[in-house]
Amino acid sequence: MAITINQPNIKASISFEEFISFSKEAIKKNDNDSLLECAKHLKMLSNNGQFLSDQINNQLQDMATFQRSNAYGIQTTLLHIDTLFYVRINTWPAISEHKDVNIWQKELYHHVRAHDHNFPFITVGCHGKGYETEIWEYDYDKVIGYVGEKVELNYLERTSLPKGKVMYYRASKDIHTQIPPEDYSISLNIMPRGNSFLEKEQFHFDLQNKTITSIAPGVGTGRLFLLDLAKRLGDTKTERLLEQIATSHNMPHVRAKSYEVLWDVNKDEKLLQKALCDKSPIVQMSAKSLIDSATLVN
């Protein structure tokens, strides 16, 4: 299950620079467990009452390049990007800070919805009482990955992330929702980098019905956005490229989406027959859904 790393007796603090220096030595390529070596030092960094203010000031000193490499939303600020890992803070506004609850819900929609991550990470509460979270687990290898698919879920716990608490989330295993905190809160995360994490999709889940509801936003989902653009703005060369991607890309969701775009563009049934012969059940199920939809229309 998602691991709570209890370290109540650690009172010492370190600087952000010391934390980065240690992490560079501790984290090893393709070794997720090496991330756990940073847990103690992450706790020590959270004990440093000045480091967040220092980081904010550093960012404000050069607004021209502020968060230039940040591909995340308004809640996330990147503090460090390294070859093998990166460090970020997430902010969690309390619902009482928003006069319009609908605006608040839209801002936190992704986090309130149950979701997994295709990478492991360690997180620590740095400010405030912290969000509450409900945690479930599932077996990624037993899931095909299509919308509406029934998934075997195992409920683990409801807990919170107050200041100083450290937790480790497993890649493509732990599912959680992040429920709004009582006061403005900040969490600090460290996570590994690597192309291998792009080989798995992230999902949103309906916990009550135990189904997949959508692919969750992540670094890799930009590929699907590009395919949507291809559908709307492509030409004959685009079609040839899509056919190549549909038959050879290593990610089944990308192949499935490419077949879907090609079907929308030219309604070529031969392509769907190819999709039905794809080695991945994801592509097969997508093609079957397109065929069923076409049959209903006719």
Side-chain angles (χ1 to χ4, degrees):
M1 63 183 292
I3 302 169
T4 295
I5 304 171
N6 292 312
Q7 301 170 318
N9 297 323
I10 297 177
K11 306 299 182 182
S13 66
I14 58 174
S15 69
F16 186 69
E17 291 72 23
E18 288 173 320
F19 175 73
I20 296 301
S21 178
F22 175 84
S23 299
K24 286 182 177 180
E25 295 293 327
I27 296 176
K28 309 300 181 185
K29 186 176 182 180
N30 299 324
D31 183 0
N32 291 345
D33 289 340
S34 67
L35 196 65
L36 289 167
E37 298 295 321
C38 302
K40 175 182 175 181
H41 289 74
L42 193 66
K43 163 70 172 175
M44 293 167 68
L45 181 58
S46 74
N47 291 340
N48 182 339
Q50 186 62 36
F51 105 89
L52 279 177
S53 296
D54 289 342
Q55 289 300 311
I56 291 169
N57 291 337
N58 289 340
Q59 299 280 342
L60 290 175
Q61 285 176 356
D62 191 1
M63 286 293 285
T65 60
F66 176 74
Q67 295 294 294
R68 181 175 290 175
S69 301
N70 190 350
Y72 294 95
I74 192 172
Q75 286 178 260
T76 299
T77 300
L78 291 175
L79 300 184
H80 180 84
I81 303 176
D82 213 283
T83 305
L84 296 179
F85 67 94
Y86 60 103
V87 181
R88 69 184 187 185
I89 58 172
N90 284 338
T91 57
W92 306 95
I95 190 170
S96 60
E97 296 183 25
H98 296 267
K99 295 180 180 179
D100 188 335
V101 175
N102 289 327
I103 293 175
W104 172 85
Q105 287 175 330
K106 290 177 181 177
E107 288 179 357
L108 286 179
Y109 191 52
H110 167 58
H111 299 285
V112 172
R113 296 170 69 188
H115 60 281
D116 68 341
H117 297 272
N118 57 6
F119 53 86
F121 67 96
I122 300 180
T123 184
V124 63
C126 276
H127 179 83
K129 295 181 180 179
Y131 59 77
E132 292 193 11
T133 180
E134 287 194 339
I135 305 174
W136 302 62
E137 68 178 359
Y138 80 116
D139 188 341
Y140 185 96
D141 293 332
K142 292 182 178 179
V143 168
I144 297 174
Y146 60 89
V147 173
E149 180 181 2
K150 286 282 187 180
V151 180
E152 184 178 338
L153 303 179
N154 179 35
Y155 180 76
L156 297 178
E157 64 174 336
R158 180 173 178 134
T159 186
S160 61
L161 190 71
K163 179 174 170 56
K165 181 177 180 179
V166 182
M167 295 186 69
Y168 175 69
Y169 284 87
R170 301 167 297 172
S172 300
K173 187 71 174 178
D174 293 314
I175 300 168
H176 66 151
T177 60
Q178 286 146 309
I179 302 157
E182 294 180 17
D183 59 358
Y184 188 87
S185 300
I186 299 173
S187 59
L188 174 69
N189 300 344
I190 181 169
M191 54 207 72
R193 298 180 68 194
N195 290 332
S196 62
F197 302 126
L198 300 180
E199 295 175 0
K200 292 184 176 181
E201 298 291 354
Q202 301 177 124
F203 301 112
H204 283 136
F205 297 86
D206 178 338
L207 297 178
Q208 182 175 358
N209 294 310
K210 297 185 176 182
T211 58
I212 292 174
T213 58
S214 65
I215 296 177
V219 176
T221 49
R223 296 171 297 209
L224 304 183
F225 174 71
L226 179 60
L227 293 173
D228 268 332
L229 285 178
K231 176 171 65 175
R232 290 164 173 77
L233 303 174
D235 53 21
T236 53
K237 180 179 179 180
T238 308
E239 287 190 42
R240 292 196 300 273
L241 291 170
L242 287 171
E243 287 184 27
Q244 182 178 346
I245 293 170
T247 56
S248 63
H249 198 278
N250 65 314
M251 290 288 292
H253 282 95
V254 173
R255 297 199 302 275
K257 183 68 174 181
S258 297
Y259 278 119
E260 177 188 323
V261 171
L262 286 166
W263 173 253
D264 286 342
V265 170
N266 59 29
K267 295 294 188 291
D268 186 346
E269 293 184 5
K270 292 180 180 178
L271 285 170
L272 291 188
Q273 293 304 317
K274 282 186 179 180
L276 289 173
C277 296
D278 190 278
K279 61 183 179 181
S280 169
I282 295 171
V283 183
Q284 297 169 16
M285 291 292 296
S286 176
K288 186 176 184 303
S289 176
L290 293 173
I291 292 171
D292 291 344
S293 298
T295 301
L296 288 174
V297 171
N298 294 332

